[in-house]
Amino acid sequence: MTAMDTNKAKTGVFSAGRALITDRTLRTDKWWIQPLITVGVFVSFIIYATFRAFEKQNYFAEPLISPFYSPCLSTVCVEGSAHFGTPIGALSIFGMVISPALFILIFPLGFRLTCYYYRKAYYRSFWMSPPACAVAEPHKKYTGETRAPLILQNGHRWFFYAGLVLNIILTYDAVIAFKNPEGEWGHMSVGTLVLLANATFLWLYSASCHTCRHTIGGRLRNFSAHPVRYKAWTIVSKLNHYHPNFAWVSLIGVAFADFYVRQVASGAITNFYFF
Amino acid sequence: MTRKIKMRIWRGNSETGSLQDVSVDANEGEVVLDVIHRVQATQMGDLAVRWNCKAGKCGSCSVEINGKPRLACMTQMASFAEDETITVTPLRAFPVIKDLVTDVSFNYKKAMEIPSFEPPADLKPGEARMQQIDVERSQEFRKCIECFLCQDTCHVIRDHEENKKSFAGPRFFIRIAELDMHPLDMLRNRKQKAQEEHGLGMCNITKCCTEVCPEHIRITDNAIIPMKERVVDVKYDPVRWLGSKIRRREEVL
Ligand code: SF4
Ligand code: SF4
Ligand code: FES
Ligand code: FES
C-alpha cells in the first residue's frame, strides 16, 4: 500500500489511521428530512419572490402596499405607491424597465443570506457541508468562511442596519393601513392586520439577530459596568434563542403579506374592513 | 426484565477492522456502556473500551452509537426500539488505537496552543473581585467535561483531515470565548488569534457541536457566533476599527 497516495485520496472519515468503516454515515434515523424540507421551503419562496419581483404590478391597493415593493422609489411605481418620493427615477437595461422591487429586495436578501441561522440552514441543505451531523460531506476541500466570497458573511451587521431602516418603513406601511381607500384615518381591515403581523415578525427577527445581541451588549467584557445594556442583552438573548423560529415565521409572513396585497390589488378578493 | 439485543461492535486497530455482530442480554434501566461491559465479560474478553465515571462527568466513554457521537454511559438502552440493531463504533474523527478506543491527543495539542488567562500584572493572588454577572457567560463554558464529542462531530476536521493543523475546534472556541469575555483577562489579541491562528473562520456555524454536547453547552450561539462578531469588530468593521484607534475603546469595555 502506498501510504502517501492513499492519504491524499482518502480524507475525512476514510483517512488512514481512523477506524476502517466504509459507510459515509451509520446514522439510522431520517437525517435527510430536515435538509429536504429546508430546500423545499427555500425553493418555493425563491420562485414566488422572483415571479413577484418581475411582475411589476398588483403590489399596491390604497392604502396597502406589498412588502416586496416598499418603499417604491422609482417613477414607474403605480400612482400613489411612492410614499417616499422617486429618487431613483426609472432605470432600464436593454429597454426593459428595472422592477422597483429589485432595488429594495437586495437588502432583505443580503440580510437573510448573511444571517447566522440561514447560513446554517443553507450550508447544510444546499451545500451539504455537512448535510447533517456525522454524515460525511461530499466535498474534497473545505475552507469555511475564511476566503472570498464567504468571508463577506462578516458584513452581516451592515445588512442588519439596512434591515432596521426597512422595518421602520414597513411599520409605517402598517400604520397607514389604518386609513380607508379614500385616505381617511381610523379604519381597519384584514390588510391592516396582515401588514401589522408582517412588521411585528420582522421586528422580532431583527431583534433576535445575533448581531443585535452582540451590539446591544454582547461585545462588553464588564456587564456590571453597563447595567442597562446588560438588561437589554438578557432580553435580546432570550429572543435570540428563538431566532430560527422568527426567521421562518417572518419569511412566510412577508410572502403572505405580499400575496394578500396581490390578491386585493388584482381584484381577486376585496379587502374586508372591520370599521 | 432481561431481553436479548443485537449489537454490532467495531473491532480492530489503525490498520484493519470491521463491525462484528453480537447478541447479548440487556436488563431494564441499563445504558449502552453496561451492555458493552457484558459483552466484554462474556464474549469478547479483549474488547477495548475507555470509561471511568459512568455518570456522564468524566468524558471518557465517547463513542458513536448508531452513527451519532454520544457518551456510552448516558445512552439508555430503553431509547432504542426492541428489535433495533445497535451499532457502536469508535469516534470517527480521530485515529483508532484499538476497538472503541481512539487517540484524542489532537485535542490536547490544541489546548496547549490557546494562550492562557492573563490577569492584570498588579493583581496579587486572592485579590481578584468580580461580580456574578461578569462571569456567568464564562461559567457556562466551564461545564465542559472534555468528552470531545463536539470535536469528533465537527465536519471541518471530521471530513477534512488536512484541516486539523489549522483548526482548534469547538471545544477550544468555548475556551477562547471564556477568556475573551473574562473581565480580568488582559491579553488583547485573542480575537485576532482566534481568526488567524485557531481557525474560527473555518467554522460555518452549522451547529453540530451544539447538537452533540452532553453538557448542553450552547457552543455555537453563545461562544462561536459571539466570537465571530468580536472578530468582525477588530478585523472587518472599518467604522469600529477606526473608533478603536481613536478612542482606544477596547480597554474600557
Ligand atoms: S458549528 Fe462550527 S465548530 Fe461547531 S461543529 Fe459546526 S463547523 Fe464545527
Ligand atoms: S463542549 Fe461539550 S461536547 Fe465539547 S468537549 Fe465539552 S462537554 Fe464535550
Ligand atoms: S438576522 Fe439572523 S443572525 Fe442576524
Ligand atoms: S464514563 Fe465518564 S462520561 Fe461516560
Side-chain angles (χ1 to χ4, degrees):
Chain A
M1 191 167 79
T2 50
M4 281 303 283
D5 291 356
T6 342
N7 264 343
K8 261 188 204 149
K10 294 187 165 184
T11 181
V13 286
F14 307 120
S15 304
R18 299 203 200 174
L20 194 71
I21 298 168
T22 46
D23 309 69
R24 303 190 76 85
T25 184
L26 288 169
R27 277 181 71 165
T28 50
D29 56 336
K30 299 190 176 62
W31 55 264
W32 38 268
I33 286 191
Q34 192 61 44
L36 205 66
I37 295 175
T38 311
V39 169
V41 177
F42 277 162
V43 169
S44 325
F45 182 84
I46 292 166
I47 293 172
Y48 177 75
T50 311
F51 157 69
R52 280 295 282 152
F54 289 95
E55 200 186 21
K56 292 188 265 185
Q57 54 179 334
N58 298 333
Y59 54 83
F60 182 67
E62 191 75 53
L64 306 177
I65 181 161
S66 151
F68 284 8
Y69 283 83
S70 177
C72 207
L73 299 174
S74 151
T75 40
V76 299
C77 296
V78 297
E79 204 189 320
S81 67
H83 298 137
F84 300 92
T86 55
I88 49 181
L91 299 178
S92 50
I93 7 173
F94 308 124
M96 287 257 297
V97 177
I98 300 175
S99 164
L102 295 184
F103 300 108
I104 296 312
L105 286 179
I106 333 170
F107 297 103
L109 183 74
F111 186 34
R112 286 181 193 254
L113 272 181
T114 58
C115 162
Y116 286 97
Y117 168 69
Y118 281 115
R119 271 143 77 181
K120 171 199 166 194
Y122 66 77
Y123 285 143
R124 279 195 187 199
S125 56
F126 282 81
W127 196 240
M128 297 203 278
S129 175
C133 303
V135 177
E137 60 177 56
H139 309 283
K140 282 231 167 54
K141 276 222 144 308
Y142 174 87
T143 53
E145 301 183 331
T146 54
R147 312 188 173 168
L150 291 184
I151 197 164
L152 293 175
Q153 306 280 31
N154 288 310
H156 181 55
R157 57 183 58 177
W158 306 105
F159 287 108
F160 167 72
Y161 303 141
L164 291 183
V165 175
L166 275 185
N167 287 355
I168 293 172
I169 292 170
L170 296 187
T171 307
Y172 169 85
D173 292 343
V175 170
I176 58 168
F178 282 99
K179 292 183 182 180
N180 64 9
E182 287 70 45
E184 291 150 343
W185 284 101
H187 298 273
M188 191 165 114
S189 63
V190 177
T192 321
L193 293 181
V194 171
L195 292 194
L196 268 182
N198 178 44
T200 310
F201 294 146
L202 288 173
W203 278 115
L204 285 170
Y205 176 58
S206 292
S208 61
C209 160
H210 288 276
T211 292
C212 176
R213 187 184 186 210
H214 172 73
T215 310
I216 210 130
R219 69 157 56 97
L220 300 171
R221 254 174 208 272
N222 266 312
F223 278 152
S224 54
H226 305 264
V228 178
R229 286 180 72 183
Y230 172 67
K231 183 77 198 143
W233 177 83
T234 54
I235 295 167
V236 170
S237 296
K238 284 200 188 90
L239 289 174
N240 179 259
H241 199 78
Y242 301 99
H243 189 58
N245 308 48
F246 294 138
W248 288 114
V249 171
S250 63
L251 187 79
I252 291 163
V254 90
F256 180 76
D258 170 79
F259 180 71
Y260 184 82
V261 175
R262 178 174 191 276
Q263 296 310 89
V264 174
S266 66
I269 56 170
T270 41
N271 183 25
F272 176 77
Y273 270 82
F274 302 109
F275 51 85
Chain B
M1 207 186 70
T2 304
R3 60 187 171 108
K4 271 265 181 268
I5 53 136
K6 290 190 292 279
M7 265 189 144
R8 286 195 302 166
I9 300 178
W10 192 89
R11 303 214 57 195
N13 54 35
S14 61
E15 302 285 311
T16 172
S18 62
L19 287 165
Q20 299 192 1
D21 292 300
V22 286
S23 168
V24 58
D25 286 341
N27 300 324
E28 195 154 353
E30 284 187 329
V31 292
V32 171
L33 185 62
D34 294 317
V35 179
I36 292 174
H37 278 152
R38 183 164 303 115
V39 171
Q40 197 185 40
T42 59
Q43 319 180 25
M44 296 174 173
D46 60 342
L47 174 69
V49 55
R50 192 187 272 139
W51 67 285
N52 206 315
C53 69
K54 258 198 80 185
K57 284 293 165 234
C58 73
S60 311
C61 64
S62 301
V63 289
E64 299 193 8
I65 302 172
N66 283 353
K68 288 189 185 170
R70 314 188 62 163
L71 295 179
C73 75
M74 296 303 281
T75 307
Q76 297 282 340
M77 290 305 293
S79 63
F80 301 100
E82 291 271 317
D83 54 349
E84 203 171 339
T85 303
I86 302 166
T87 307
V88 186
T89 71
L91 301 179
R92 292 184 70 186
F94 305 117
V96 65
I97 297 174
K98 183 177 185 302
D99 304 338
L100 300 177
V101 176
T102 47
D103 174 2
V104 292
S105 56
F106 161 79
N107 301 291
Y108 299 114
K109 269 193 229 96
K110 291 295 162 182
M112 284 192 289
E113 289 169 11
I114 311 291
S116 50
F117 176 58
E118 202 179 293
D122 54 355
L123 190 74
K124 306 223 169 45
E127 271 187 350
R129 292 291 176 275
M130 278 174 290
Q131 304 213 11
Q132 176 58 27
I133 59 169
D134 290 328
V135 286
E136 63 194 4
R137 273 183 300 182
S138 299
Q139 277 173 340
E140 177 189 8
F141 310 140
R142 301 294 296 190
K143 290 193 299 182
C144 174
I145 59 171
E146 302 225 295
C147 62
F148 304 131
L149 288 176
C150 57
Q151 303 283 91
D152 174 58
T153 199
C154 179
H155 70 116
V156 177
I157 47 177
R158 183 184 177 92
D159 293 340
H160 305 276
E161 180 71 25
E162 67 282 4
N163 286 341
K164 279 188 178 166
K165 55 183 185 310
S166 47
F167 185 72
R171 193 273 165 261
F172 300 103
F173 294 148
I174 67 175
R175 173 71 179 148
I176 294 170
E178 173 198 333
L179 294 170
D180 204 59
M181 293 172 184
H182 195 296
L184 288 180
D185 180 52
M186 291 294 118
L187 189 69
R188 281 298 179 256
N189 62 350
R190 274 193 207 280
K191 303 169 186 54
Q192 286 88 344
K193 275 181 178 288
Q195 187 76 350
E196 290 156 18
E197 293 170 28
H198 307 302
L200 184 68
M202 308 269 268
C203 162
N204 67 352
I205 52 172
T206 36
K207 285 199 176 174
C208 289
C209 48
T210 307
E211 270 184 34
V212 300
C213 178
E215 283 294 312
H216 305 292
I217 300 172
R218 292 179 55 216
I219 305 173
T220 323
D221 283 352
N222 288 350
I224 296 180
I225 295 176
M227 279 315 296
K228 282 195 177 238
E229 283 293 313
R230 284 165 178 241
V231 166
V232 176
D233 280 349
V234 295
K235 279 183 75 88
Y236 306 114
D237 183 338
V239 178
R240 283 201 69 82
W241 179 82
L242 208 66
S244 72
K245 289 285 155 218
I246 298 167
R247 294 184 292 169
R248 299 176 152 271
R249 259 310 278 275
E250 210 193 358
E251 309 303 320
V252 302
L253 291 176

